[in-house]
Short mmCIF file of all heavy atoms in Angstrom, two decimals:
data_model
loop_
_atom_site.label_atom_id
_atom_site.label_comp_id
_atom_site.label_asym_id
_atom_site.label_seq_id
_atom_site.Cartn_x
_atom_site.Cartn_y
_atom_site.Cartn_z
N MET F 1 -50.62 -1.95 20.39
CA MET F 1 -49.55 -1.43 21.20
C MET F 1 -48.20 -1.78 20.55
O MET F 1 -48.00 -2.90 20.09
CB MET F 1 -49.62 -2.06 22.60
CG MET F 1 -48.39 -1.84 23.43
SD MET F 1 -48.50 -2.77 24.98
CE MET F 1 -47.23 -1.95 25.87
N LYS F 2 -47.32 -0.80 20.53
CA LYS F 2 -45.98 -1.02 20.00
C LYS F 2 -44.97 -0.40 20.97
O LYS F 2 -45.20 0.66 21.54
CB LYS F 2 -45.83 -0.40 18.62
CG LYS F 2 -44.50 -0.72 18.01
CD LYS F 2 -44.47 -0.36 16.55
CE LYS F 2 -43.07 -0.68 16.06
NZ LYS F 2 -42.99 -0.90 14.66
N ILE F 3 -43.85 -1.08 21.16
CA ILE F 3 -42.82 -0.62 22.07
C ILE F 3 -41.60 -0.21 21.27
O ILE F 3 -41.22 -0.87 20.30
CB ILE F 3 -42.43 -1.72 23.07
CG1 ILE F 3 -43.65 -2.07 23.91
CG2 ILE F 3 -41.28 -1.27 23.96
CD1 ILE F 3 -43.43 -3.25 24.81
N LYS F 4 -40.99 0.88 21.69
CA LYS F 4 -39.77 1.36 21.07
C LYS F 4 -38.66 1.31 22.12
O LYS F 4 -38.88 1.67 23.28
CB LYS F 4 -39.96 2.79 20.58
CG LYS F 4 -38.76 3.36 19.88
CD LYS F 4 -39.05 4.76 19.39
CE LYS F 4 -37.79 5.36 18.81
NZ LYS F 4 -37.99 6.76 18.44
N ALA F 5 -37.49 0.85 21.74
CA ALA F 5 -36.34 0.77 22.63
C ALA F 5 -35.17 1.54 22.04
O ALA F 5 -34.80 1.30 20.88
CB ALA F 5 -35.95 -0.69 22.87
N ASP F 6 -34.61 2.45 22.82
CA ASP F 6 -33.46 3.24 22.38
C ASP F 6 -32.21 2.70 23.07
O ASP F 6 -31.96 3.00 24.24
CB ASP F 6 -33.68 4.71 22.72
CG ASP F 6 -32.59 5.61 22.17
OD1 ASP F 6 -31.51 5.10 21.80
OD2 ASP F 6 -32.81 6.83 22.14
N THR F 7 -31.44 1.91 22.35
CA THR F 7 -30.26 1.29 22.95
C THR F 7 -29.15 2.29 23.26
O THR F 7 -28.26 1.99 24.05
CB THR F 7 -29.70 0.17 22.05
OG1 THR F 7 -29.40 0.71 20.77
CG2 THR F 7 -30.70 -0.97 21.91
N THR F 8 -29.22 3.48 22.67
CA THR F 8 -28.21 4.49 22.98
C THR F 8 -28.45 5.13 24.34
O THR F 8 -27.54 5.73 24.91
CB THR F 8 -28.15 5.59 21.90
OG1 THR F 8 -29.38 6.31 21.88
CG2 THR F 8 -27.87 4.98 20.53
N VAL F 9 -29.66 4.99 24.86
CA VAL F 9 -30.02 5.55 26.16
C VAL F 9 -29.98 4.48 27.25
O VAL F 9 -29.75 4.77 28.43
CB VAL F 9 -31.42 6.20 26.09
CG1 VAL F 9 -31.88 6.70 27.44
CG2 VAL F 9 -31.43 7.33 25.07
N CYS F 10 -30.17 3.23 26.87
CA CYS F 10 -30.24 2.11 27.81
C CYS F 10 -28.95 2.00 28.65
O CYS F 10 -27.85 2.10 28.12
CB CYS F 10 -30.47 0.81 27.04
SG CYS F 10 -30.55 -0.66 28.08
N ILE F 11 -29.13 1.78 29.95
CA ILE F 11 -27.97 1.61 30.85
C ILE F 11 -27.80 0.15 31.28
O ILE F 11 -26.94 -0.15 32.11
CB ILE F 11 -28.08 2.52 32.08
CG1 ILE F 11 -29.34 2.22 32.90
CG2 ILE F 11 -28.03 3.99 31.66
CD1 ILE F 11 -29.42 2.94 34.24
N GLY F 12 -28.63 -0.73 30.78
CA GLY F 12 -28.49 -2.16 31.07
C GLY F 12 -28.91 -2.57 32.46
O GLY F 12 -28.41 -3.56 32.98
N ALA F 13 -29.84 -1.84 33.06
CA ALA F 13 -30.30 -2.15 34.42
C ALA F 13 -31.04 -3.49 34.48
O ALA F 13 -31.02 -4.16 35.50
CB ALA F 13 -31.18 -1.03 34.96
N GLY F 14 -31.72 -3.86 33.41
CA GLY F 14 -32.39 -5.16 33.34
C GLY F 14 -33.78 -5.22 33.95
O GLY F 14 -34.35 -6.30 34.04
N MET F 15 -34.32 -4.10 34.36
CA MET F 15 -35.67 -4.11 34.95
C MET F 15 -36.71 -4.61 33.94
O MET F 15 -37.65 -5.30 34.31
CB MET F 15 -36.06 -2.70 35.43
CG MET F 15 -35.25 -2.22 36.63
SD MET F 15 -35.34 -3.33 38.05
CE MET F 15 -37.07 -3.27 38.44
N CYS F 16 -36.51 -4.30 32.68
CA CYS F 16 -37.45 -4.74 31.66
C CYS F 16 -37.47 -6.26 31.55
O CYS F 16 -38.53 -6.87 31.47
CB CYS F 16 -37.11 -4.10 30.31
SG CYS F 16 -35.43 -4.39 29.73
N VAL F 17 -36.30 -6.86 31.58
CA VAL F 17 -36.20 -8.32 31.47
C VAL F 17 -36.81 -9.00 32.69
O VAL F 17 -37.49 -10.02 32.57
CB VAL F 17 -34.72 -8.75 31.29
CG1 VAL F 17 -34.61 -10.26 31.20
CG2 VAL F 17 -34.13 -8.10 30.07
N LEU F 18 -36.57 -8.44 33.86
CA LEU F 18 -37.15 -9.00 35.09
C LEU F 18 -38.66 -8.88 35.10
O LEU F 18 -39.35 -9.74 35.64
CB LEU F 18 -36.55 -8.30 36.31
CG LEU F 18 -35.07 -8.56 36.55
CD1 LEU F 18 -34.56 -7.66 37.68
CD2 LEU F 18 -34.81 -10.01 36.88
N THR F 19 -39.20 -7.82 34.51
CA THR F 19 -40.64 -7.55 34.54
C THR F 19 -41.39 -8.26 33.42
O THR F 19 -42.49 -8.75 33.63
CB THR F 19 -40.87 -6.03 34.44
OG1 THR F 19 -40.13 -5.38 35.48
CG2 THR F 19 -42.34 -5.69 34.60
N ALA F 20 -40.79 -8.33 32.24
CA ALA F 20 -41.47 -8.93 31.08
C ALA F 20 -40.44 -9.70 30.24
O ALA F 20 -40.08 -9.27 29.14
CB ALA F 20 -42.16 -7.86 30.26
N PRO F 21 -39.99 -10.84 30.72
CA PRO F 21 -38.96 -11.59 30.00
C PRO F 21 -39.39 -12.15 28.64
O PRO F 21 -38.55 -12.48 27.82
CB PRO F 21 -38.60 -12.72 30.97
CG PRO F 21 -39.79 -12.87 31.85
CD PRO F 21 -40.38 -11.50 31.96
N GLU F 22 -40.69 -12.22 28.42
CA GLU F 22 -41.18 -12.68 27.13
C GLU F 22 -41.07 -11.58 26.07
O GLU F 22 -41.13 -11.85 24.87
CB GLU F 22 -42.65 -13.12 27.22
CG GLU F 22 -42.90 -14.22 28.23
CD GLU F 22 -43.19 -13.68 29.63
OE1 GLU F 22 -43.04 -12.46 29.88
OE2 GLU F 22 -43.57 -14.49 30.49
N VAL F 23 -40.93 -10.34 26.52
CA VAL F 23 -40.91 -9.19 25.62
C VAL F 23 -39.50 -8.62 25.45
O VAL F 23 -39.14 -8.16 24.38
CB VAL F 23 -41.88 -8.08 26.13
CG1 VAL F 23 -41.88 -6.87 25.21
CG2 VAL F 23 -43.29 -8.63 26.27
N PHE F 24 -38.71 -8.67 26.54
CA PHE F 24 -37.39 -8.05 26.53
C PHE F 24 -36.29 -9.04 26.88
O PHE F 24 -36.51 -10.00 27.59
CB PHE F 24 -37.33 -6.92 27.57
CG PHE F 24 -38.38 -5.87 27.39
CD1 PHE F 24 -39.55 -5.90 28.13
CD2 PHE F 24 -38.20 -4.84 26.48
CE1 PHE F 24 -40.53 -4.94 27.98
CE2 PHE F 24 -39.18 -3.86 26.31
CZ PHE F 24 -40.34 -3.92 27.06
N ASP F 25 -35.10 -8.76 26.38
CA ASP F 25 -33.90 -9.50 26.74
C ASP F 25 -32.78 -8.48 26.81
O ASP F 25 -32.99 -7.29 26.56
CB ASP F 25 -33.60 -10.58 25.70
CG ASP F 25 -32.66 -11.66 26.22
OD1 ASP F 25 -32.20 -11.57 27.38
OD2 ASP F 25 -32.39 -12.61 25.47
N GLN F 26 -31.58 -8.95 27.16
CA GLN F 26 -30.41 -8.07 27.20
C GLN F 26 -29.33 -8.63 26.29
O GLN F 26 -29.12 -9.84 26.24
CB GLN F 26 -29.86 -7.96 28.62
CG GLN F 26 -30.71 -7.07 29.51
CD GLN F 26 -30.12 -6.95 30.89
OE1 GLN F 26 -30.30 -7.86 31.69
NE2 GLN F 26 -29.44 -5.86 31.17
N SER F 27 -28.64 -7.73 25.62
CA SER F 27 -27.54 -8.11 24.75
C SER F 27 -26.40 -8.71 25.57
O SER F 27 -26.06 -8.19 26.63
CB SER F 27 -27.03 -6.88 24.00
OG SER F 27 -25.79 -7.14 23.39
N GLU F 28 -25.86 -9.81 25.09
CA GLU F 28 -24.72 -10.40 25.78
C GLU F 28 -23.46 -9.57 25.59
O GLU F 28 -22.51 -9.70 26.36
CB GLU F 28 -24.50 -11.83 25.27
CG GLU F 28 -25.61 -12.76 25.73
CD GLU F 28 -25.30 -14.21 25.46
OE1 GLU F 28 -24.11 -14.56 25.34
OE2 GLU F 28 -26.25 -14.99 25.38
N ASP F 29 -23.44 -8.72 24.59
CA ASP F 29 -22.27 -7.88 24.32
C ASP F 29 -22.13 -6.73 25.32
O ASP F 29 -21.08 -6.54 25.91
CB ASP F 29 -22.32 -7.30 22.90
CG ASP F 29 -22.20 -8.38 21.84
OD1 ASP F 29 -21.56 -9.42 22.10
OD2 ASP F 29 -22.75 -8.18 20.74
N ASP F 30 -23.22 -5.96 25.48
CA ASP F 30 -23.11 -4.77 26.34
C ASP F 30 -24.24 -4.63 27.36
O ASP F 30 -24.29 -3.66 28.10
CB ASP F 30 -23.03 -3.51 25.48
CG ASP F 30 -24.24 -3.32 24.57
OD1 ASP F 30 -25.20 -4.11 24.67
OD2 ASP F 30 -24.22 -2.39 23.75
N GLY F 31 -25.14 -5.59 27.41
CA GLY F 31 -26.22 -5.56 28.41
C GLY F 31 -27.39 -4.68 28.07
O GLY F 31 -28.32 -4.56 28.86
N THR F 32 -27.36 -4.03 26.90
CA THR F 32 -28.48 -3.16 26.55
C THR F 32 -29.70 -3.98 26.13
O THR F 32 -29.60 -5.16 25.81
CB THR F 32 -28.10 -2.19 25.41
OG1 THR F 32 -27.64 -2.94 24.29
CG2 THR F 32 -27.03 -1.21 25.86
N VAL F 33 -30.83 -3.32 26.13
CA VAL F 33 -32.11 -3.97 25.87
C VAL F 33 -32.17 -4.55 24.46
O VAL F 33 -31.67 -3.95 23.51
CB VAL F 33 -33.28 -2.98 26.11
CG1 VAL F 33 -33.23 -1.81 25.15
CG2 VAL F 33 -34.62 -3.69 26.04
N VAL F 34 -32.79 -5.71 24.37
CA VAL F 34 -33.12 -6.35 23.09
C VAL F 34 -34.62 -6.55 23.11
O VAL F 34 -35.16 -7.17 24.05
CB VAL F 34 -32.40 -7.70 22.93
CG1 VAL F 34 -32.88 -8.41 21.68
CG2 VAL F 34 -30.89 -7.51 22.92
N LEU F 35 -35.30 -6.01 22.14
CA LEU F 35 -36.75 -6.11 22.06
C LEU F 35 -37.13 -7.39 21.33
O LEU F 35 -36.90 -7.53 20.13
CB LEU F 35 -37.28 -4.88 21.34
CG LEU F 35 -38.72 -4.50 21.48
CD1 LEU F 35 -39.17 -4.47 22.94
CD2 LEU F 35 -38.97 -3.16 20.84
N LEU F 36 -37.68 -8.35 22.07
CA LEU F 36 -38.07 -9.63 21.48
C LEU F 36 -39.41 -9.54 20.77
O LEU F 36 -39.64 -10.22 19.77
CB LEU F 36 -38.15 -10.70 22.57
CG LEU F 36 -36.87 -11.00 23.35
CD1 LEU F 36 -37.17 -11.98 24.48
CD2 LEU F 36 -35.79 -11.51 22.43
N GLN F 37 -40.32 -8.71 21.32
CA GLN F 37 -41.66 -8.57 20.74
C GLN F 37 -42.03 -7.08 20.70
O GLN F 37 -42.60 -6.58 21.66
CB GLN F 37 -42.68 -9.34 21.57
CG GLN F 37 -42.46 -10.84 21.56
CD GLN F 37 -43.66 -11.59 22.09
OE1 GLN F 37 -44.77 -11.46 21.58
NE2 GLN F 37 -43.42 -12.41 23.10
N PRO F 38 -41.73 -6.39 19.62
CA PRO F 38 -42.05 -4.96 19.52
C PRO F 38 -43.55 -4.68 19.64
O PRO F 38 -43.93 -3.60 20.07
CB PRO F 38 -41.54 -4.56 18.14
CG PRO F 38 -40.57 -5.62 17.76
CD PRO F 38 -41.00 -6.87 18.45
N SER F 39 -44.38 -5.64 19.25
CA SER F 39 -45.84 -5.52 19.38
C SER F 39 -46.34 -6.70 20.19
O SER F 39 -46.84 -7.69 19.64
CB SER F 39 -46.49 -5.50 18.00
OG SER F 39 -46.07 -4.38 17.26
N PRO F 40 -46.21 -6.63 21.52
CA PRO F 40 -46.60 -7.77 22.35
C PRO F 40 -48.09 -8.09 22.26
O PRO F 40 -48.91 -7.18 22.12
CB PRO F 40 -46.22 -7.35 23.77
CG PRO F 40 -45.97 -5.90 23.73
CD PRO F 40 -45.73 -5.51 22.32
N PRO F 41 -48.44 -9.37 22.34
CA PRO F 41 -49.85 -9.76 22.32
C PRO F 41 -50.56 -9.27 23.58
O PRO F 41 -49.93 -8.90 24.58
CB PRO F 41 -49.81 -11.28 22.26
CG PRO F 41 -48.48 -11.66 22.80
CD PRO F 41 -47.56 -10.53 22.47
N ALA F 42 -51.87 -9.29 23.54
CA ALA F 42 -52.69 -8.75 24.62
C ALA F 42 -52.29 -9.29 25.99
O ALA F 42 -52.25 -8.53 26.97
CB ALA F 42 -54.16 -9.04 24.35
N GLY F 43 -51.97 -10.55 26.10
CA GLY F 43 -51.64 -11.15 27.38
C GLY F 43 -50.34 -10.66 27.99
O GLY F 43 -50.09 -10.87 29.18
N LEU F 44 -49.50 -10.00 27.20
CA LEU F 44 -48.22 -9.50 27.70
C LEU F 44 -48.16 -7.98 27.79
O LEU F 44 -47.17 -7.42 28.25
CB LEU F 44 -47.08 -9.98 26.79
CG LEU F 44 -46.88 -11.49 26.71
CD1 LEU F 44 -45.79 -11.82 25.70
CD2 LEU F 44 -46.52 -12.05 28.08
N GLN F 45 -49.22 -7.32 27.36
CA GLN F 45 -49.19 -5.86 27.30
C GLN F 45 -49.09 -5.19 28.66
O GLN F 45 -48.37 -4.20 28.82
CB GLN F 45 -50.38 -5.33 26.51
CG GLN F 45 -50.25 -5.63 25.04
CD GLN F 45 -51.36 -5.06 24.20
OE1 GLN F 45 -52.24 -4.35 24.68
NE2 GLN F 45 -51.34 -5.39 22.92
N ASP F 46 -49.78 -5.69 29.67
CA ASP F 46 -49.70 -5.07 31.00
C ASP F 46 -48.27 -5.16 31.55
O ASP F 46 -47.74 -4.18 32.07
CB ASP F 46 -50.67 -5.73 31.98
CG ASP F 46 -52.12 -5.35 31.73
OD1 ASP F 46 -52.36 -4.35 31.00
OD2 ASP F 46 -53.01 -6.04 32.24
N ALA F 47 -47.64 -6.31 31.42
CA ALA F 47 -46.27 -6.48 31.90
C ALA F 47 -45.32 -5.59 31.10
O ALA F 47 -44.39 -4.98 31.67
CB ALA F 47 -45.84 -7.94 31.81
N ALA F 48 -45.53 -5.48 29.81
CA ALA F 48 -44.69 -4.64 28.97
C ALA F 48 -44.82 -3.17 29.37
O ALA F 48 -43.82 -2.45 29.48
CB ALA F 48 -45.05 -4.82 27.50
N ARG F 49 -46.03 -2.72 29.63
CA ARG F 49 -46.24 -1.34 30.09
C ARG F 49 -45.56 -1.09 31.44
O ARG F 49 -44.96 -0.04 31.66
CB ARG F 49 -47.72 -1.01 30.20
CG ARG F 49 -48.40 -0.79 28.88
CD ARG F 49 -49.86 -0.37 29.09
NE ARG F 49 -50.62 -0.54 27.88
CZ ARG F 49 -50.66 0.34 26.88
NH1 ARG F 49 -49.95 1.44 26.96
NH2 ARG F 49 -51.38 0.11 25.82
N ARG F 50 -45.64 -2.06 32.34
CA ARG F 50 -44.96 -1.93 33.63
C ARG F 50 -43.46 -1.80 33.42
O ARG F 50 -42.79 -0.98 34.05
CB ARG F 50 -45.26 -3.13 34.53
CG ARG F 50 -46.48 -2.97 35.39
CD ARG F 50 -46.55 -4.01 36.52
NE ARG F 50 -46.40 -5.39 36.09
CZ ARG F 50 -47.37 -6.14 35.56
NH1 ARG F 50 -48.57 -5.63 35.40
NH2 ARG F 50 -47.14 -7.39 35.21
N ALA F 51 -42.92 -2.62 32.54
CA ALA F 51 -41.48 -2.59 32.25
C ALA F 51 -41.07 -1.23 31.70
O ALA F 51 -40.03 -0.69 32.09
CB ALA F 51 -41.12 -3.70 31.27
N VAL F 52 -41.87 -0.67 30.81
CA VAL F 52 -41.58 0.66 30.26
C VAL F 52 -41.54 1.69 31.39
O VAL F 52 -40.64 2.52 31.47
CB VAL F 52 -42.61 1.05 29.18
CG1 VAL F 52 -42.48 2.51 28.81
CG2 VAL F 52 -42.45 0.16 27.95
N GLY F 53 -42.51 1.60 32.30
CA GLY F 53 -42.57 2.55 33.41
C GLY F 53 -41.43 2.39 34.41
O GLY F 53 -41.04 3.35 35.07
N LEU F 54 -40.90 1.19 34.52
CA LEU F 54 -39.81 0.93 35.48
C LEU F 54 -38.42 1.22 34.93
O LEU F 54 -37.45 1.24 35.69
CB LEU F 54 -39.86 -0.54 35.92
CG LEU F 54 -41.03 -0.93 36.81
CD1 LEU F 54 -41.07 -2.44 37.00
CD2 LEU F 54 -40.92 -0.23 38.16
N CYS F 55 -38.31 1.45 33.65
CA CYS F 55 -37.00 1.67 33.03
C CYS F 55 -36.35 2.93 33.61
O CYS F 55 -36.86 4.04 33.45
CB CYS F 55 -37.15 1.82 31.51
SG CYS F 55 -35.57 2.12 30.68
N PRO F 56 -35.21 2.78 34.30
CA PRO F 56 -34.59 3.92 34.98
C PRO F 56 -33.96 4.93 34.02
O PRO F 56 -33.82 6.11 34.38
CB PRO F 56 -33.52 3.29 35.86
CG PRO F 56 -33.21 1.98 35.23
CD PRO F 56 -34.48 1.53 34.57
N SER F 57 -33.65 4.53 32.81
CA SER F 57 -33.01 5.46 31.87
C SER F 57 -34.00 6.12 30.90
O SER F 57 -33.62 7.05 30.19
CB SER F 57 -31.93 4.73 31.07
OG SER F 57 -32.51 3.78 30.21
N GLY F 58 -35.22 5.60 30.85
CA GLY F 58 -36.19 6.14 29.88
C GLY F 58 -35.95 5.64 28.47
O GLY F 58 -36.41 6.26 27.50
N ALA F 59 -35.24 4.53 28.32
CA ALA F 59 -34.92 4.00 27.01
C ALA F 59 -36.12 3.35 26.32
O ALA F 59 -36.09 3.12 25.11
CB ALA F 59 -33.79 2.98 27.12
N LEU F 60 -37.16 3.04 27.09
CA LEU F 60 -38.32 2.35 26.54
C LEU F 60 -39.52 3.31 26.47
O LEU F 60 -39.71 4.13 27.36
CB LEU F 60 -38.69 1.15 27.42
CG LEU F 60 -37.61 0.10 27.59
CD1 LEU F 60 -38.06 -0.95 28.59
CD2 LEU F 60 -37.26 -0.54 26.25
N SER F 61 -40.31 3.14 25.43
CA SER F 61 -41.54 3.92 25.31
C SER F 61 -42.60 3.11 24.59
O SER F 61 -42.29 2.19 23.84
CB SER F 61 -41.27 5.24 24.58
OG SER F 61 -40.71 5.01 23.31
N VAL F 62 -43.84 3.47 24.83
CA VAL F 62 -44.98 2.88 24.13
C VAL F 62 -45.41 3.89 23.08
O VAL F 62 -45.60 5.06 23.38
CB VAL F 62 -46.14 2.58 25.10
CG1 VAL F 62 -47.35 2.05 24.35
CG2 VAL F 62 -45.71 1.60 26.17
N VAL F 63 -45.50 3.43 21.84
CA VAL F 63 -45.91 4.30 20.75
C VAL F 63 -47.23 3.81 20.17
O VAL F 63 -47.52 2.62 20.23
CB VAL F 63 -44.82 4.38 19.65
CG1 VAL F 63 -43.59 5.09 20.16
CG2 VAL F 63 -44.46 3.01 19.12
N PRO F 64 -48.04 4.74 19.65
CA PRO F 64 -49.33 4.32 19.09
C PRO F 64 -49.23 3.42 17.89
O PRO F 64 -48.26 3.30 17.23
CB PRO F 64 -50.00 5.64 18.71
CG PRO F 64 -49.09 6.75 19.07
CD PRO F 64 -47.84 6.15 19.60
#
């Protein structure tokens, strides 16, 4: 599993960080998503998928 984050689309809502803080963070400059683990380990994949689904701007996606 690999996650892609588009910071040009991100609105800084922070749902990803609240859902999977081990995988996502927010930039202190503008609040946009920072991907800590682009390929999260098995134990974090469910939370990462939930975070992708909860993203209100669609900035996050799961790629093969």
Side-chain angles (χ1 to χ4, degrees):
M1 167 186 196
K2 185 168 178 157
I3 298 173
K4 182 178 175 185
D6 186 344
T7 57
T8 65
V9 176
C10 179
I11 60 172
M15 292 303 298
C16 55
V17 179
L18 293 172
T19 306
E22 302 89 350
V23 180
F24 304 97
D25 199 357
Q26 285 181 280
S27 167
E28 290 190 23
D29 294 331
D30 59 6
T32 56
V33 64
V34 173
L35 199 49
L36 300 175
Q37 295 194 57
S39 297
L44 298 176
Q45 289 183 4
D46 287 344
R49 285 184 197 277
R50 271 195 308 280
V52 169
L54 290 171
C55 179
S57 67
L60 301 174
S61 57
V62 176
V63 292

